[in-house]
Amino acid sequence: MNDFDFIKEKTAGESIDAPSSVSPENITAGLAGVRQKSRKKRIALSVSLPAAAALFLALAIFVLPNVQLVRKYTSPSGGFHTGNAESIGFTSYDDVAEKLKELSDAYKKDQKENSHYVIEYNGGAKYATDYAVDEDAVAQAVPAAVPEIAADANNNGASAGTERSFSETNVRESAVDEEDIIKTDGNYIYYLPYNEYQLYIIKADGSEMVLESKIDLSGRYEGSEYYDGLFLRGDTVVVTGTVGLYGENGRWDSFTLIRIFDVSDRTAPSELKSFRFEGHSAASSRLIGDKLIVVTCDRLDFDKVDPEETSTFVPCYYDAEQPTYVSAEDIILPEDTYPDATVSVSIIDLSDPAGAETETVSVFTSGGQVYCTTENLYIYSAKTVAEETSGSKTKQKEQTEIMSFDITGDKAVYKTTGTVDGYIIDSFAIDEYNGFLRLAVTEQSYTYYSRMNYYMESDWSTRCRVVTLDENLNKLGATRTLVEDEDIQSVRFMGDTAYVVTFRQTDPLFVIDLSDPAAPEIKGELTLPGFSAYLHPVGEGMIVGLGFGGNESGTDGSAKISLFDVSDPANPIESDSLIYKNSYVDSDYKCFVDMKDGSFLVNLTNYGDYYSSGSDNVMIRFGINDGKLIVLTEYDVLNDERSYSAFVRGLFIDDTVYAAVKSEYWDNAYDYVYYEEDYAEDNTPDEDTSDVLIADGYNSYQIEYGRRIFINSYDKDSGELTGSLVLYVQ
């Protein structure tokens, strides 16, 4: 029986189930700007050609922007190592080139035998297998003492001895600062608006705001620059960004930019030093004290490796625009890998900003995301691998590859690489504690039919759980399956406990006991409509969740702030909630502000009803009293009847709350096109047509566009607008 007959037999009499992404609810949510996390969708197929055409049209309109058709390599053995991995070091560039040539030949051979066209959705795949506990690894694992870290280890540049209270960037790991578009030191606000080229330095004293200076970041390079964040360390500001340029190898490539400025004179900042690294930034840099850690990823082209041309295979970085190649001794290849990228870890010493130098190591592997503690750096990436192949059928699953580095010295030291089944949704789903690594993973498995290029709906399985690894990334233990046919949406690890939110139509919140790393255990579960996209601890036994409201059918277009009482792990409850209809609460963790007085600040956008063209942006300050959420203050930031988008970031200094806003608005006009046969030459309806003019279509064009960048100040308690500083108007 061929594949086509097999499909007909399996799908006879079945109708097409459209992807969830084209359901009315999700289309409405998308139009409202709800940014739900991406995930792999499942498609049920039928051989009906008209139905297939309709499905393809729906996919083209609503789904394909999030889909890429790629030729994806999957090796029968999984393509890379499992468990603790040895690595290959090099002593010369000739050794590097020779090994890459060997890998290229092996890659081409396996690709010829095992390559398929795969439709890959943003997100990851999941697979269900049982973890075998490594008893020897458990016996040998000795928990490391958790270092005591001062809460103000990076203090966002505040001057010593300051008594002012001010907000700090909400970060993933204590004492590990992250880049952000806005920072304050209690006296000045440093603001780099989203997708702009000006860094504004504003003196802020209550309602009195004065623009001290602005740094023009544009025009440094011939390529298109993009700046996405900044760090603040005393009188030093570090700006991060990317640019597209031709590299030493003659190839057009992305580069990560690090530009260091002296702002001791806020009215006349000056650039001290700059670095440019091949490759794009892998989910931002980190700052630990004076140590700036930059992770970059550049593609590896096997076919273009030329042993005579170092630039074709050796990573390069630029110190003050002078190229430097990473030494052969600092290039690493984990064994049993098929790398498709070069990941570089650079440590820049900022103790002397003007004389800053970098130490860089590079690993031939795959690109990934970053989780960083004060001592260790983890880079993780998802890979689709093949378990077994029978004819044109391939059983596939997703695995996550994790590399670990010691970053306590001046140069990162590669430690090991390991893998787990499933994918990790974000850096909150991976956590180091007492020498162990804990991960919340979503697993998938499915069968791919290469001859017909499709997945069978009935072959798709999903489950979620929490797994633990030792310091060598050997598997220790795993929970039983938390839930099947759902995806992890948010995770928070707190000491010996993990809190995991999954979702398909309702929101289970699971409480996981991790006190015994070899035997994680589900202690409690709570099921609610909607789901929380971000979890934040707000006191002993209390967690706040920001996300989406819903009903038994899924999300309903409302924003929801939940307060969970998890003091009894076996019986978690939602003690209170705030629901805002036709709204979205920003679940980006950097937008969540701890006011340091027991209250918290979040961003909320209200879209109005279906017929509204504008929206309202507000910031809400809430507190907690006796297990209840109390709205303390609402700050009106922006409302406009025109169509617009706004990027709002809140912060505070003492008793003043600030809203930094970049707003874009536009008005469109429409030329309607009518059915020609229904109208006379004067464009009026014929006598035999309805009195209601129905347009066959329309052409739209923009008649007005504007952009504003400004900062508002508010009284913290009353919410009264006390000042406004306009930075840019178009």
Side-chain angles (χ1 to χ4, degrees):
M1 178 183 295
N2 61 31
D3 284 335
F4 190 77
D5 292 332
F6 176 80
I7 299 174
K8 289 199 293 184
E9 177 182 317
K10 292 294 185 182
T11 60
E14 295 184 5
S15 59
I16 283 185
D17 295 326
S20 60
S21 57
V22 300
S23 67
E25 295 81 7
N26 283 342
I27 293 174
T28 301
L31 292 174
V34 176
R35 300 178 297 169
Q36 299 191 33
K37 290 183 173 67
S38 59
R39 53 180 298 272
K40 286 197 173 182
K41 309 296 182 185
R42 300 183 295 174
I43 303 175
L45 298 178
S46 168
V47 296
S48 168
L49 292 180
L55 177 58
F56 182 84
L57 178 61
L59 286 169
I61 296 173
F62 296 108
V63 181
L64 290 183
N66 293 322
V67 180
Q68 53 182 331
L69 188 61
V70 297
R71 192 164 183 82
K72 185 161 187 170
Y73 171 74
T74 54
S75 78
S77 63
F80 51 91
H81 47 78
T82 58
N84 189 16
E86 300 296 329
S87 63
I88 299 172
F90 301 98
T91 58
S92 70
Y93 291 147
D94 289 340
D95 292 342
V96 177
E98 182 179 352
K99 187 60 182 179
L100 290 179
K101 180 64 167 59
E102 291 178 10
L103 286 173
S104 177
D105 292 343
Y107 179 88
K108 290 175 181 177
K109 180 178 182 295
D110 283 350
Q111 188 181 44
K112 183 177 180 180
E113 298 173 356
N114 300 292
S115 63
H116 312 297
Y117 279 102
V118 178
I119 293 181
E120 173 153 326
Y121 292 78
N122 292 337
K126 320 160 204 176
Y127 182 67
T129 60
D130 289 327
Y131 285 85
V133 176
D134 187 335
E135 301 293 348
D136 292 335
V138 174
Q140 296 172 6
V142 179
V146 179
E148 294 186 6
I149 305 297
D152 61 347
N154 275 310
N155 78 7
N156 286 336
S159 303
T162 181
E163 296 181 358
R164 305 192 74 175
S165 176
F166 56 89
S167 54
E168 300 173 88
T169 300
N170 186 28
V171 296
R172 167 63 184 88
E173 188 81 12
S174 174
V176 180
D177 197 15
E178 301 181 26
E179 63 190 295
D180 201 359
I181 64 171
I182 193 163
K183 302 266 188 181
T184 181
D185 56 14
N187 297 300
Y188 297 89
I189 295 172
Y190 307 82
Y191 180 35
L192 177 60
Y194 172 77
N195 203 22
E196 295 289 335
Y197 300 95
Q198 305 289 331
L199 170 59
Y200 299 95
I201 301 178
I202 300 107
K203 184 172 178 58
D205 186 7
S207 61
E208 306 233 347
M209 294 177 287
V210 177
L211 177 62
E212 295 287 272
S213 62
K214 61 181 178 181
I215 302 173
D216 186 358
L217 300 169
S218 65
R220 174 69 178 273
Y221 301 96
E222 293 181 0
S224 56
E225 302 163 67
Y226 171 80
Y227 294 95
D228 50 17
L230 64 96
F231 290 98
L232 179 60
R233 183 68 178 168
D235 290 331
T236 302
V237 168
V238 179
V239 178
T240 64
T242 58
V243 65
L245 292 171
Y246 285 103
E248 294 297 308
N249 55 14
R251 183 184 70 186
W252 183 264
D253 211 344
S254 293
F255 291 83
T256 293
L257 302 177
I258 301 294
R259 299 176 64 177
I260 305 170
F261 294 87
D262 175 15
V263 295
S264 55
D265 181 355
R266 267 66 177 181
T267 64
S270 60
E271 187 164 8
L272 298 174
K273 194 78 181 284
S274 67
F275 294 90
R276 180 160 56 93
F277 299 92
E278 284 185 342
H280 60 85
S281 177
S284 76
S285 309
R286 302 291 186 266
L287 180 64
I288 305 172
D290 289 324
K291 187 183 299 183
L292 179 64
I293 299 164
V294 182
V295 180
T296 53
C297 175
D298 196 22
R299 68 184 186 274
L300 178 62
D301 293 334
F302 281 129
D303 292 339
K304 296 183 179 179
V305 172
D306 182 354
E308 302 299 322
E309 293 291 339
T310 304
S311 62
T312 63
F313 62 94
V314 177
C316 178
Y317 65 89
Y318 299 76
D319 183 337
E321 294 306 313
Q322 296 301 311
T324 301
Y325 290 98
V326 176
S327 68
E329 293 79 6
D330 290 326
I331 297 176
I332 301 154
L333 173 66
E335 285 190 338
D336 303 322
T337 63
Y338 286 105
D340 55 15
T342 304
V343 172
S344 298
V345 180
S346 303
I347 296 181
I348 301 174
D349 182 3
L350 295 177
S351 58
D352 176 16
E357 296 182 349
T358 182
E359 294 282 356
T360 299
V361 299
S362 298
V363 182
F364 291 132
T365 179
S366 295
Q369 303 298 307
V370 170
Y371 166 62
C372 186
T373 71
T374 56
E375 297 183 347
N376 294 304
L377 172 71
Y378 299 91
I379 302 174
Y380 58 93
S381 60
K383 289 177 176 287
T384 301
V385 298
E387 290 188 287
E388 58 181 290
T389 300
S390 176
S392 64
K393 297 188 296 184
T394 303
K395 190 73 172 179
Q396 294 184 342
K397 67 177 179 179
E398 185 115 332
Q399 286 186 332
T400 295
E401 183 182 57
I402 308 165
M403 292 188 297
S404 63
F405 297 81
D406 182 336
I407 54 171
T408 55
D410 296 332
K411 180 189 294 186
V413 177
Y414 170 80
K415 294 169 66 175
T416 189
T417 298
T419 61
V420 296
D421 288 337
Y423 72 91
I424 302 169
I425 189 172
D426 58 28
S427 64
F428 284 90
I430 176 172
D431 184 76
E432 180 189 283
Y433 185 71
N434 281 357
F436 299 101
L437 197 65
R438 300 93 63 87
L439 309 98
V441 295
T442 305
E443 302 171 346
Q444 273 182 345
S445 69
Y446 42 84
T447 301
Y448 174 68
Y449 297 82
S450 61
R451 195 176 303 171
M452 296 299 295
N453 185 28
Y454 68 92
Y455 298 95
M456 286 297 294
E457 173 83 7
S458 59
D459 291 336
W460 201 294
S461 67
T462 304
R463 69 176 180 178
C464 307
R465 55 183 180 172
V466 174
V467 301
T468 57
L469 311 178
D470 68 7
E471 64 180 357
N472 295 316
L473 303 186
N474 293 309
K475 297 165 186 172
L476 291 179
T479 63
R480 61 177 173 81
T481 299
L482 303 182
V483 65
E484 295 183 351
D485 296 325
E486 294 194 9
D487 296 309
I488 291 176
Q489 297 295 331
S490 60
V491 183
R492 195 78 192 211
F493 288 95
M494 297 166 56
D496 286 325
T497 307
Y499 303 93
V500 181
V501 171
T502 66
F503 179 75
R504 166 105 3 139
Q505 290 181 318
T506 56
D507 166 16
L509 168 67
F510 295 92
V511 181
I512 316 296
D513 179 9
L514 297 167
S515 56
D516 181 357
E521 182 182 1
I522 302 172
K523 283 295 187 180
E525 176 184 348
L526 171 66
T527 299
L528 297 166
F531 68 90
S532 296
Y534 173 64
L535 300 174
H536 192 93
V538 292
E540 189 68 28
M542 306 295 285
I543 296 176
V544 159
L546 307 182
F548 305 89
N551 49 44
E552 293 182 355
S553 300
T555 58
D556 62 4
S558 65
K560 186 178 183 182
I561 304 174
S562 297
L563 179 62
F564 298 107
D565 183 342
V566 292
S567 55
D568 179 1
N571 185 37
I573 62 173
E574 183 184 47
S575 61
D576 199 13
S577 67
L578 302 171
I579 297 177
Y580 298 87
K581 293 184 178 180
N582 302 316
S583 300
Y584 168 74
V585 59
D586 201 329
S587 56
D588 181 346
Y589 66 95
K590 292 182 182 178
C591 294
F592 188 92
V593 179
D594 184 345
M595 300 290 290
K596 301 184 179 180
D597 62 356
S599 65
F600 305 91
L601 190 69
V602 297
N603 296 339
L604 185 76
T605 302
N606 180 273
Y607 298 102
D609 58 31
Y610 178 81
Y611 300 98
S612 299
S613 60
S615 58
D616 296 333
N617 289 87
V618 299
M619 297 190 304
I620 296 175
R621 184 171 72 97
F622 68 88
I624 300 165
N625 184 19
D626 196 23
K628 299 295 181 183
L629 292 170
I630 309 297
V631 176
L632 301 172
T633 320
E634 290 190 5
Y635 310 95
D636 291 327
V637 176
L638 182 66
N639 61 76
D640 202 320
E641 291 301 320
R642 295 168 295 190
S643 299
Y644 78 94
S645 63
F647 301 91
V648 180
R649 292 299 304 273
L651 68 157
F652 79 92
I653 300 175
D654 292 333
D655 292 327
T656 302
V657 170
Y658 299 91
V661 183
K662 175 187 174 181
S663 171
E664 296 178 289
Y665 63 89
W666 58 90
D667 279 337
N668 291 333
Y670 303 91
D671 288 334
Y672 289 94
V673 181
Y674 301 96
Y675 288 107
E676 182 177 352
E677 63 271 20
D678 287 341
Y679 297 92
E681 292 183 0
D682 60 356
N683 204 37
T684 59
D686 292 337
E687 292 181 356
D688 60 345
T689 63
S690 168
D691 290 336
V692 180
L693 300 181
I694 304 298
D696 181 26
Y698 62 84
N699 298 317
S700 66
Y701 56 93
Q702 198 172 86
I703 60 173
E704 183 181 6
Y705 170 79
R707 185 161 94 252
R708 291 183 293 162
I709 300 173
F710 60 94
I711 297 182
N712 286 345
S713 63
Y714 306 85
D715 180 81
K716 184 180 78 171
D717 295 322
S718 70
E720 178 185 357
L721 177 66
T722 58
S724 185
L725 176 64
V726 177
L727 300 172
Y728 180 84
V729 176
Q730 177 182 353

